[in-house]
Amino acid sequence: MTKPQKVRPYLTTHSLLPENQETPIQFINNDSVENQLFFRRNHFTYPTLSYSNYWLPINGVVSAPLLLSMQDILQYPSKTVEVVLECSGDKRNLFEPKTFGEQWEKGAISQGKWKGVPLRTLLEISGIGEGAKEVVVEGYDYGLRTDLDEVYTYTRSLPIEKALHQDTIIAYEYNNQPIPFKHGYPLRLIVPQWYAMASVKWIKQISVINTPFTGPFQTIDYMYYPNKDNDQNAFPVTAININSTIQKPLDMEKINTGVHLIKGIAWTGKGVITKVEISIDDGYTWSNADILPGKNVGYGWVSWSFEWNISEKGEYTIKSRATDSFGQIQPNLPFWNKKGYGYNAIDKVKVKVE
Ligand SMILES: Nc1nc2c(c(=O)[nH]1)N[C@H]1C(S)=C(S)[C@@H](COP(=O)(O)O)O[C@H]1N2
Ligand SMILES: [Mo]
């Protein structure tokens, strides 16, 4: 007898320089995604940092600029948040018509526990100056933007209210370990409820400003452009849209008659998931899935399952549709936008029962 081959989970590669890889969604079976399976999304090659001599400047419109060492940062009261990080381009390959950009499937998403100091704590120590509007966080990584023919660091801002939210943290640990280098070591901004472009890795400096930030990763990218032929009515990508993903069975899988557990995750940016419905007849009829109890708190996803007893052979389209506490429900059709952000239409897989 041959031993069954052990499948070693892997990431699906979109590009290696810079590194962009996603998690095949069936490999996520844990509420804390381990480093090896954590999707990687980078605009540039990895930065080179000198950890031994790491200092974090906090400057701009503040009463007293700060230069903090890691020791300083570790001494402040910490906070741990379990959050979903979802790339705003997650599921981009499902848009019709197709949009340009990395053709992410369903796995540009992860979840884990981030520990750090609230950004608010640091801003209160430096003192926020008169007229402060936004907080800019700059990363150490940089490169040429071919559209602008200039070199930029990866830099984004938060409105002052979001920056001061008690759960917006400067993280130094991921799942009880120092943050893995590829995910932002030694310090990473974590912005719960927002798409992951906001969570700047490898923080170089933090600046309080009194004018709107205009960097390209905020004003060109990560904007919803609703029209194909012009840039009118654009608005920024911020909070995560209500969404769900079927992890089992897989799309185009062949299965046998009998009892099957349809499994998946559901998440939202604002509020909590209140309902996940499943259809096995392409959306004609819907039944409630079971949401795993006790998980429906904070900024994480919920796992859900649905027992499907199928006796008739044939082809089936299975759909999942999540609802949240703000009454948001996944739409039939996604909101199409030129750069392909925020896809959240009802999820579906096709299976053949034989
Ligand atoms: N410094 C820096 N931070 C960054 C990025 C980046 O390229 N550089 N990419 C952003 C985007 S678009 C996403 S989706 C997440 C990806 O995080 P991960 O690589 O840890 O999965 O990081 C965000 N923070
Ligand atoms: Mo992203």
Side-chain angles (χ1 to χ4, degrees), residues 120 132-135 158-166 168 194:
R120 182 186 186 107
K133 282 204 179 66
E134 299 186 9
V135 178
L158 289 175
I160 197 89
E161 312 80 57
K162 190 70 180 169
L164 290 175
H165 190 286
Q166 54 179 3
T168 297
W194 281 32

Side-chain angles (χ1 to χ4, degrees), residues 21-37:
Q21 308 207 66
E22 71 174 285
T23 319
I25 201 71
Q26 69 274 21
F27 293 150
I28 294 179
N29 46 27
N30 187 320
D31 284 332
S32 286
V33 176
E34 56 267 48
N35 303 347
Q36 297 87 328
L37 282 183

Side-chain angles (χ1 to χ4, degrees), residues 282-293:
D282 202 6
Y284 284 101
T285 61
W286 295 88
S287 313
N288 285 346
D290 294 320
I291 294 175
L292 229 70

Side-chain angles (χ1 to χ4, degrees), residues 80-334:
T80 301
V81 286
E82 186 175 44
V83 299
V84 166
L85 284 184
E86 184 190 12
C87 177
S88 51
D90 191 27
K91 304 194 184 189
R92 179 181 283 133
N93 79 325
L94 298 174
F95 274 108
E96 290 293 346
K98 294 283 178 216
T99 60
F100 285 91
E102 219 59 82
Q103 291 301 300
W104 298 105
E105 299 178 38
K106 299 176 185 179
I109 185 168
S110 78
Q111 178 178 264
K113 290 194 191 74
W114 297 89
K115 178 180 174 185
V117 54
L119 174 55
R120 182 186 186 107
T121 304
L122 304 184
L123 293 174
E124 280 171 352
I125 295 166
S126 66
I128 299 168
E130 190 80 22
K133 282 204 179 66
E134 299 186 9
V135 178
V136 179
V137 179
E138 179 174 19
Y140 263 104
D141 51 331
Y142 61 87
L144 182 71
R145 280 200 57 129
T146 46
D147 56 341
L148 302 171
D149 202 21
E150 238 180 283
V151 170
Y152 286 86
T153 52
Y154 186 83
T155 305
R156 293 204 26 112
S157 79
L158 289 175
I160 197 89
E161 312 80 57
K162 190 70 180 169
L164 290 175
H165 190 286
Q166 54 179 3
D167 295 331
T168 297
I169 64 170
I170 303 299
Y172 43 78
E173 275 184 22
Y174 178 67
N175 291 342
N176 307 311
Q177 298 287 325
I179 299 176
F181 177 72
K182 293 184 171 183
H183 299 288
Y185 182 89
L187 292 178
R188 176 180 195 166
L189 177 65
I190 291 292
V191 185
Q193 302 189 311
W194 281 32
Y195 278 111
M197 75 280 146
S199 295
V200 177
K201 303 190 272 191
W202 311 293
I203 301 175
K204 185 178 187 184
Q205 81 176 313
I206 296 174
S207 313
V208 180
I209 57 172
N210 55 14
T211 51
F213 177 66
T214 57
F217 295 102
Q218 190 132 339
T219 53
I220 299 176
D221 300 336
Y222 306 112
M223 295 285 288
Y224 291 109
Y225 298 98
N227 309 322
K228 203 171 170 113
D229 302 319
N230 63 59
D231 289 350
Q232 278 162 28
N233 302 318
F235 59 101
V237 176
T238 56
I240 294 175
N241 294 327
I242 173 90
N243 218 330
S244 69
T245 289
I246 300 166
Q247 297 172 278
K248 216 185 118 192
L250 290 175
D251 196 25
M252 297 299 164
E253 197 174 331
K254 288 178 179 173
I255 59 178
N256 297 322
T257 54
V259 178
H260 290 272
L261 207 55
I262 302 172
K263 279 177 55 175
I265 53 173
W267 66 98
T268 188
K270 206 168 148 233
V272 294
I273 297 293
T274 51
K275 187 162 69 173
V276 178
E277 295 163 287
I278 299 298
S279 173
I280 46 101
D281 55 10
D282 202 6
Y284 284 101
T285 61
W286 295 88
S287 313
N288 285 346
D290 294 320
I291 294 175
L292 229 70
K295 273 280 146 207
N296 206 4
V297 289
Y299 311 122
W301 59 44
V302 298
S303 294
W304 52 261
S305 64
F306 180 80
E307 202 176 273
W308 183 29
N309 192 344
I310 178 68
S311 52
E312 244 178 86
K313 294 178 180 175
E315 289 179 17
Y316 293 84
T317 297
I318 303 172
K319 293 187 168 179
S320 71
R321 176 172 75 183
T323 304
D324 69 23
S325 50
F326 281 83
Q328 300 295 311
I329 182 165
Q330 285 182 260
N332 270 310
L333 293 174

